Amino acid sequence: MPKVKKAMHKDGDFFVDYEDKVFEDVKAKPGEKALVTFHTVAFEGSIGLVNILSATRLQRKGFETSILLYGPGVTLGIQRGFPTLGSEAFPGHLNYAARLKKFMDEGGKIYACRFALQALYGHGEPSLLPGIQPISPLDVMDIQLVHRNENAFVLHTWTM
């Protein structure tokens, strides 16, 4: 067996040049909008968290940013907790809620499809995190068309 003669990595080491930025730091022009859609199940992959972080970054770049939760995406916007709502059962258990609340606190808007909420996942509007606006399933397409008509940046993700 060959012997490894390199020092062990330690906290504070880095493996890449994280300061080298290739592209300009784009900021929104006045009035520009963005929409991030979520069609993904909470806790079944990283895209839910990645989308929340992306929406927050767009908001901080000056875009008037909205999130659309539809299909299984509504599962990110429901209240959770154990043994009671708001109680964190394990570290990170309430991360989606905390990130979505932060997004709304910074001015972002979140919409959730009523059809997915009730028909698919058995929840009512009182299950949503405070501040999330429930919408008709007919609005799921229209919110996207409204953003398209306003030349908004739209980030769609769709997972099963």
Side-chain angles (χ1 to χ4, degrees):
M1 264 316 227
K3 196 165 202 166
V4 176
K5 297 178 182 179
K6 294 188 181 232
M8 296 295 292
H9 297 297
K10 60 188 177 312
D11 287 350
D13 287 351
F14 55 91
F15 300 132
V16 297
D17 183 353
Y18 61 88
E19 293 178 340
D20 179 30
K21 185 160 178 5
V22 176
F23 299 101
E24 68 177 288
D25 185 19
V26 176
K27 302 287 185 193
K29 294 177 180 81
E32 282 192 306
K33 296 183 177 185
L35 172 67
V36 181
T37 70
F38 293 59
H39 189 284
T40 189
V41 180
F43 300 103
E44 290 192 9
S46 63
I47 196 63
L49 182 58
V50 169
N51 274 0
I52 296 168
L53 296 173
S54 295
T56 302
R57 186 153 184 244
L58 285 164
Q59 182 76 16
R60 290 175 181 168
K61 284 178 162 289
F63 290 88
E64 181 184 317
T65 307
S66 298
I67 287 175
L68 169 62
L69 304 173
Y70 72 112
V74 298
T75 62
L76 282 91
I78 59 174
Q79 296 180 57
R80 297 183 186 282
F82 190 85
T84 60
L85 289 178
S87 297
E88 192 172 51
F90 55 85
H93 175 222
L94 301 180
N95 198 27
Y96 293 119
R99 294 290 180 169
L100 289 172
K101 287 176 188 175
K102 186 171 186 64
F103 173 76
M104 289 187 286
D105 288 346
E106 293 182 15
K109 298 178 205 135
I110 303 176
Y111 303 93
C113 175
R114 287 182 172 114
F115 176 83
L117 192 64
Q118 179 179 328
L120 302 180
Y121 297 99
H123 288 280
E125 293 176 20
S127 295
L128 290 171
L129 295 167
I132 294 180
Q133 174 69 49
I135 61 172
S136 163
L138 300 176
D139 285 326
V140 169
M141 181 178 288
D142 286 329
I143 189 176
Q144 295 176 63
L145 292 173
V146 164
H147 280 79
R148 182 204 65 159
N149 288 345
E150 295 177 350
N151 294 316
F153 173 75
V154 180
L155 175 62
H156 292 290
T157 55
W158 205 92
T159 60
M160 306 265 305

